[in-house]
Amino acid sequence: MKITNVKVEKLQLELHKPFKIALGVIEHVDTMLVKVETDEGVYGIGEGAPMEFVTGDSIDHIKIVTEMLGKLIIGHDPLNMEKLHNIMDNAIARNTGAKAAIDIALYDIKGKVMGAPLYKVLGGNSNKFDTDITIGIATPSEMAKEAKERVDQGFKILKIKAGLNPEEDIEAVRLIRDSVGKNIRLRMDANQGWSVSEAVKVMKAVQEYGVEAVEQPVPYWDIEGMALIREKVDIMVMADESVFSPIDAIRVVRKNAADVINIKLMKSGGLYRGEQINAISEAAHIKCMVGCMLESKVAITAGASLVAAKKNITEADMDSFLYTKDPGIKGGLTIENGVIILPETPGLGIDIDF
Ligand code: MG
């Protein structure tokens, strides 16, 4: 089988409301779909989603680089995953959004060739799991109101965005715990917004509200700071922006800088390196979560398949497709009461033709 063509198409997603985190406010979302075609009529669909302040990828950037990488993989067997990733990595450093787009499409092809859903291609530990839902930054009382609404919709795990104002972060958690009761799992994400001392202060304060883990308390480059926080507080520290690649994961392992690593396909350049990050983490006795950027159901179904496939990936933050109006993508994962269920159809189980 040979790759014959790689097509890209921008997809505009409309947010239900603006989304605020410590790194900025997101008003609308552009993402990009890719279609990798083969000489046997099988094709794969992938997605590259930008998050400028995390990955450095803009949508136009992802489109140009995907087109460039697309030309390099034409003529190759789409099942030669190792070879194709090396071609992409040798052609251009970073650019993980474009690499993820192609990677997801290649796995979609692999699933269709095997006649197996992607979660089975990747390991097949399970076909469903709980996802959290994110509460963006607003006033503490607005956040508590939204938290209650999400719990009423069936979500059992909340991820509370923080990192702009330590006092308000603590107040938001207090009010949220008060409004949702004691059986809802809470974690926080500071998106690099605190100093080490602020992180220690907030994390000690929110311990009484049963916060399980805090994601990326300090800037991505401060691996030593993350390790220091772990020594001082009992809440788990999760590395997100600090870990893009398997190499970053090793650095975190060596420095004892995290209890959990958050894999995102748009940081790792897709499932192939994502599996490697999970393998490193598992061997180091670190659990993983899979998170997402503002992605459509295409990339979310790929990420969700990785969660379902692996025993060591115990947490999921696969909620972004719920923030946007439905762009009419048929198939892929389904969600019911905060539980994501993967389809049994081959590959992603999504059929879009363009
Ligand atoms: Mg995060």
Side-chain angles (χ1 to χ4, degrees):
M1 185 185 286
K2 284 192 174 17
I3 296 169
T4 52
N5 193 24
V6 177
K7 278 191 203 169
V8 300
E9 187 171 278
K10 280 191 198 173
L11 175 69
Q12 204 164 47
L13 299 171
E14 211 182 322
L15 283 170
H16 291 299
K17 63 172 193 178
F19 187 64
K20 189 175 176 189
I21 66 170
L23 295 164
V25 181
I26 299 153
E27 308 267 359
H28 47 79
V29 185
D30 281 312
T31 186
M32 186 207 71
L33 299 180
V34 64
K35 183 182 181 193
V36 175
E37 297 172 337
T38 69
D39 59 353
E40 294 185 18
V42 181
Y43 64 86
I45 299 290
E47 179 180 357
M51 184 63 82
E52 288 86 343
F53 39 65
V54 177
T55 58
D57 286 341
S58 71
I59 186 67
D60 292 325
H61 204 112
I62 289 178
K63 187 167 173 287
I64 290 166
V65 176
T66 305
E67 283 166 342
M68 182 197 103
L69 295 173
K71 289 193 184 104
L72 298 178
I73 63 171
I74 286 173
H76 288 277
D77 187 330
L79 302 181
N80 290 346
M81 208 68 82
E82 171 84 10
K83 186 174 186 179
L84 293 172
H85 269 281
N86 286 324
I87 288 173
M88 293 197 288
D89 288 344
N90 289 338
I92 192 162
R94 295 178 280 276
N95 283 283
T96 45
K99 289 172 186 173
I102 290 176
D103 168 275
I104 294 167
L106 297 176
Y107 274 96
D108 190 25
I109 292 173
K110 188 172 181 177
K112 287 174 178 171
V113 170
M114 288 173 67
L118 188 50
Y119 81 86
K120 286 190 180 174
V121 173
L122 294 167
N125 184 56
S126 171
N127 72 336
K128 57 172 181 260
F129 57 86
D130 289 336
T131 180
D132 68 20
I133 183 107
T134 302
I135 309 296
I137 298 174
T139 66
S141 57
E142 283 166 345
M143 290 170 74
K145 183 167 170 279
E146 188 181 335
K148 180 70 170 63
E149 285 164 11
R150 291 304 194 183
V151 167
D152 289 344
Q153 289 165 13
F155 289 95
K156 296 167 196 72
I157 313 166
L158 301 176
K159 168 159 144 173
I160 304 160
K161 287 291 189 182
L164 283 181
N165 178 326
E167 294 304 327
E168 287 196 9
D169 294 339
I170 297 166
E171 181 63 2
V173 174
R174 187 180 74 81
L175 293 182
I176 288 171
R177 176 55 83 200
D178 207 41
S179 73
V180 301
K182 65 178 185 340
N183 292 329
I184 298 301
R185 295 174 55 199
L186 300 183
R187 48 186 173 235
M188 295 173 81
D189 186 356
N191 283 111
Q192 317 179 58
W194 297 325
S195 64
V196 170
S197 60
E198 284 170 337
V200 170
K201 185 179 148 202
V202 176
M203 288 169 78
K204 283 191 169 163
V206 297
Q207 208 169 335
E208 66 173 298
Y209 308 119
V211 171
E212 293 174 5
V214 171
E215 217 174 299
Q216 203 62 49
V218 291
Y220 72 93
W221 43 264
D222 194 5
I223 305 297
E224 287 79 6
M226 306 249 292
L228 195 58
I229 294 165
R230 284 190 71 220
E231 283 174 18
K232 291 183 184 287
V233 296
D234 290 330
I235 295 176
M236 289 191 289
V237 172
M238 198 186 298
D240 178 5
E241 289 94 323
S242 292
V243 176
F244 274 49
S245 64
I247 297 157
D248 296 335
I250 281 286
R251 196 172 295 137
V252 161
V253 166
R254 284 182 180 149
K255 298 274 185 183
N256 291 310
D259 300 279
V260 188
I261 289 179
N262 183 353
I263 300 168
K264 289 178 182 164
L265 302 186
M266 298 305 144
K267 294 185 299 172
S268 64
L271 295 159
Y272 192 70
R273 304 280 180 227
E275 281 195 278
Q276 293 174 343
I277 294 171
N278 177 57
I280 288 166
S281 306
E282 186 169 24
H285 234 255
I286 289 176
K287 297 289 183 199
C288 287
M289 174 161 99
V290 174
C292 56
M293 304 304 185
L294 284 164
E295 300 161 12
S296 81
K297 214 161 60 164
V298 173
I300 295 289
T301 298
S305 299
L306 184 60
V307 179
K310 305 292 184 187
K311 180 168 69 74
N312 192 59
I313 303 178
T314 56
E315 306 300 329
D317 175 31
M318 307 259 57
D319 56 356
S320 75
F321 68 102
L322 300 168
Y323 306 143
T324 61
K325 294 179 185 162
D326 179 13
I329 296 171
K330 300 273 176 284
L333 60 78
T334 52
I335 184 162
E336 217 172 293
N337 296 321
V339 178
I340 284 185
I341 302 160
L342 276 312
E344 293 300 325
T345 36
L348 294 169
I350 288 176
D351 218 4
I352 318 172
D353 207 355
F354 60 87

